[in-house]
Amino acid sequence: MSLLTRRRLLRRAALSASAASAARTGLAGATTAGLAASTTAVGGCEDTPARDPEPAPDPGLRFPDGFGWGAATSAYQIEGAAKEDGRGESVWDTFSRTPGRTRNGDTGDVAADHYHRYAEDLDLMRELGLRSYRFSISWPRIQADGSGRPNQRGLDFYRRLLDGLHERDIAPMATLFHWDLPQALQDDGGWENRDTAERFADYADAVFHALGDRVPVWLTINEPKTVVQNGYLSGHHAPGRQDAAAAYLVAHHLQLAHGLAVRALRASGATGRIGPALNLHPCYPADDTAGAAAAARLHDGYENRLYLDSIFKGAYPQDVLADLGPDSRMVRGIRDGDLATISSPVDLLAVQYYTPIYVTGAGGTVRKWPTSEADWQQIYPQGLYDTLTRVTRDYGRVPITITENGLPCPDVPGSDGTVDDAGRVIFLRDHVAAAHRAVRDGVPLESYHVWSLLDNFEWAEGYDQRWGLVYVDYQSQRRVFKRSAHWYREVIRRNGL
Ligand code: FCB
């Protein structure tokens, strides 16, 4: 890989709009400062009394019958109970306990204590009226060291959770991997090691056999791109590496792991559906020069097509492969048959949408819209419409579920104990409206999940950013419905805006 490509990749990671704020890394902070000059406003959460946050009841914005209104969480971000019932260590335990890696040194040791409070949280979901709940299964709870006989106590926890969902008539959607790789596998090379993909398929197989009768929808790997960009390029997520050559080999192995898990589900005889969970970022040219158009196209290759094309077309995008170069570790790591595995037919695509990206002719990025409290997130609902319609146009009519969409707000309870997150209501309303336009224009969208059900451990940002519909007081672990939760309950009741 040329030095230029390496620099470009590192810069792309630093500017990437992926999961956590890149501003905590010196690398990202320095770069974004210069490029973000076009917009300084922080949007989304400000108190906006002049704008009515309640949606006008418009009978035109009803969703199809049976639409799956939901909310999402992930294991490490909410469960806590880090050392209980045979759970092993994950890369996020190691990373968050390393000084300087997370804000305030926060860890997921206790988080929202969901492992102990899941019954109360199930009741909250019922009160919200959720029809779908997306959560993740913690690999180190099932296999402490990432391989071998599954830990029954870990499986039992998820069975109790699944039973509780079924009792409340909420459809479960289970993600197999939301970044908490068993540390023992990391010690053997983690996702750089091809064998980790095989270990993942074994773990998935154990889960399918134990819980396959209770889960109608499985998602394989949450946001492989974020592992690549934040875990291996910018390094501000576990395992904290900055190694562009390794990063795209990791991408290939994550894709391979996805395909192997799809095959394992089919072989298990379980009846559930399965698909990938991809954070897609529409990449627009920052201006109308040909250079910006070309750069945006390549950026789109790294952000979106690398993952979509390999799964839905059975080939990595040529422009990305050419940019990486034939001697790159990724290209050398692709073996015969891998793309056939990766493109094993899936039943649905989970789309996670947070932000657009605007690319300059020089390959940098600029901001055009106000950002949320997460400085990587520009608020642009039209980007969701563009993403959904683009997927349907370019990849066919695969059923789509939106599995994450939301923003952080500096929520604090008022003197009367209520949490008035008017900005979140506006954000969600505008994105739900964009999703509705996409449905109207033919996108086979079947469900929508707010990120997140609860305030939780936001990775490198620790507990500073609050993304939940439900406020969590981490001292007492008391939960409080925010204004957005009350609003969302009405949306669900009305089946639309
Ligand atoms: C996504 C992650 C999720 C959460 C949100 C804010 O990229 O999948 O865990 O951190 O961002």
Side-chain angles (χ1 to χ4, degrees):
M1 183 184 307
S2 73
L3 189 61
L4 187 65
T5 302
R6 210 184 110 73
R7 276 217 202 96
R8 260 206 313 259
L9 292 176
L10 284 169
R11 191 174 52 203
R12 181 172 292 125
L15 294 173
S16 134
S18 299
S21 162
R24 283 183 53 73
T25 61
L27 173 72
T31 326
T32 46
L35 290 167
S38 59
T39 312
T40 48
V42 171
C45 297
E46 72 275 38
D47 206 7
T48 48
R51 295 163 74 187
D52 176 7
E54 300 303 330
D58 174 352
L61 294 195
R62 291 292 179 275
F63 279 69
D65 285 349
F67 191 76
W69 297 102
T73 62
S74 89
Y76 189 73
Q77 294 179 275
I78 64 165
E79 284 179 1
K83 293 185 191 298
E84 274 173 65
D85 290 344
R87 177 185 180 277
E89 300 274 302
S90 79
V91 292
W92 269 97
D93 294 286
T94 310
F95 188 78
S96 64
R97 290 174 196 159
T98 306
R101 291 302 206 173
T102 64
R103 197 176 285 270
N104 307 317
D106 289 343
T107 72
D109 284 357
V110 178
D113 197 30
H114 171 77
Y115 193 76
H116 300 117
R117 293 167 196 268
Y118 72 93
E120 181 191 340
D121 291 338
L122 284 165
D123 286 343
L124 288 176
M125 294 179 215
R126 177 168 52 196
E127 214 178 315
L128 256 176
L130 292 193
R131 300 198 180 134
S132 176
Y133 174 55
R134 177 203 177 211
F135 64 100
S136 83
I137 294 174
S138 157
W139 186 349
R141 278 197 201 286
I142 308 303
Q143 292 175 320
D145 294 332
S147 60
R149 211 160 56 85
N151 168 23
Q152 193 56 44
R153 286 177 296 168
L155 290 170
D156 288 347
F157 169 69
Y158 294 106
R159 182 157 281 273
R160 289 195 296 276
L161 180 70
L162 288 163
D163 286 346
L165 288 167
H166 284 283
E167 279 158 23
R168 290 165 183 79
D169 215 13
I170 300 168
M173 187 180 281
T175 310
L176 289 162
F177 178 72
H178 201 122
W179 305 350
D180 43 3
L181 185 74
Q183 181 60 42
L185 294 184
Q186 187 63 40
D187 296 342
D188 286 342
W191 290 110
E192 263 180 273
N193 181 351
R194 187 181 168 96
D195 192 51
T196 298
E198 302 286 346
R199 298 282 69 73
F200 178 70
D202 289 350
Y203 149 70
D205 181 62
V207 174
F208 296 148
H209 279 97
L211 305 175
D213 59 327
R214 304 304 263 162
V215 178
V217 177
W218 298 96
L219 304 177
T220 52
I221 301 214
N222 181 70
E223 300 189 354
K225 180 174 70 187
T226 308
V227 177
V228 172
Q229 294 185 345
N230 295 5
Y232 284 85
L233 283 172
S234 75
H236 72 281
H237 275 189
R241 298 276 303 282
Q242 287 189 3
D243 183 341
Y248 288 93
L249 182 63
V250 163
H252 177 59
H253 291 156
L254 286 162
Q255 292 300 87
L256 188 61
H258 156 83
L260 289 170
V262 172
R263 291 193 168 175
L265 179 75
R266 308 296 185 215
S268 77
T271 53
R273 299 189 298 154
I274 193 164
L278 304 179
N279 51 330
L280 302 177
H281 296 122
C283 297
Y284 306 102
D287 53 54
D288 47 16
T289 61
R297 176 76 187 154
L298 181 60
H299 210 97
D300 174 65
Y302 278 101
E303 291 285 336
N304 304 313
R305 285 181 285 116
L306 189 64
Y307 306 94
L308 288 165
D309 282 16
S310 51
I311 291 172
F312 293 103
K313 297 186 172 173
Y316 285 117
Q318 280 307 326
D319 54 347
V320 173
L321 292 183
D323 192 60
L324 288 167
D327 294 331
S328 60
R329 286 184 70 193
M330 174 184 171
V331 173
R332 284 188 287 121
I334 302 171
R335 297 194 191 157
D336 283 354
D338 283 359
L339 268 307
T341 303
I342 295 170
S343 60
S344 302
V346 295
D347 304 300
L348 77 170
L349 167 67
V351 171
Q352 320 204 144
Y353 173 75
Y354 287 99
T355 189
I357 299 179
Y358 293 88
V359 187
T360 67
T365 62
V366 290
R367 294 177 189 157
K368 298 225 174 206
W369 304 100
T371 56
S372 75
E373 211 196 357
D375 65 353
W376 51 266
Q377 181 180 33
Q378 300 174 65
I379 298 176
Y380 186 58
Q382 177 67 23
L384 176 59
Y385 173 88
D386 291 348
T387 298
L388 295 171
T389 49
R390 182 264 178 107
V391 165
T392 300
R393 190 174 57 243
D394 292 354
Y395 299 94
R397 290 186 55 79
V398 57
I400 297 177
T401 167
I402 295 170
T403 40
E404 291 187 23
N405 179 231
L407 89 169
C409 290
D411 305 318
V412 276
S415 50
D416 60 353
T418 63
V419 182
D420 190 359
D421 57 343
R424 178 173 287 109
V425 173
I426 293 169
F427 176 99
L428 294 177
R429 178 192 65 187
D430 292 350
H431 284 77
V432 166
H436 188 272
R437 285 201 302 282
V439 172
R440 191 198 55 200
D441 291 347
V443 170
L445 180 68
E446 53 182 52
S447 54
Y448 170 89
H449 300 77
V450 175
W451 182 271
S452 179
L453 174 67
L454 302 169
D455 290 341
N456 59 50
F457 174 79
E458 174 51 22
W459 310 112
E461 295 303 324
Y463 296 98
D464 254 34
Q465 290 183 357
R466 292 182 173 271
W467 290 77
L469 293 165
V470 177
Y471 177 85
V472 176
D473 173 344
Y474 295 111
Q475 297 305 316
S476 64
Q477 292 293 350
R478 202 166 54 93
R479 276 85 161 124
V480 179
F481 267 34
K482 299 179 191 175
R483 178 172 180 164
S484 57
H486 294 290
W487 170 83
Y488 194 47
R489 182 169 53 196
E490 277 307 294
V491 171
I492 297 173
R493 200 183 55 75
R494 284 202 292 259
N495 197 30
L497 297 177

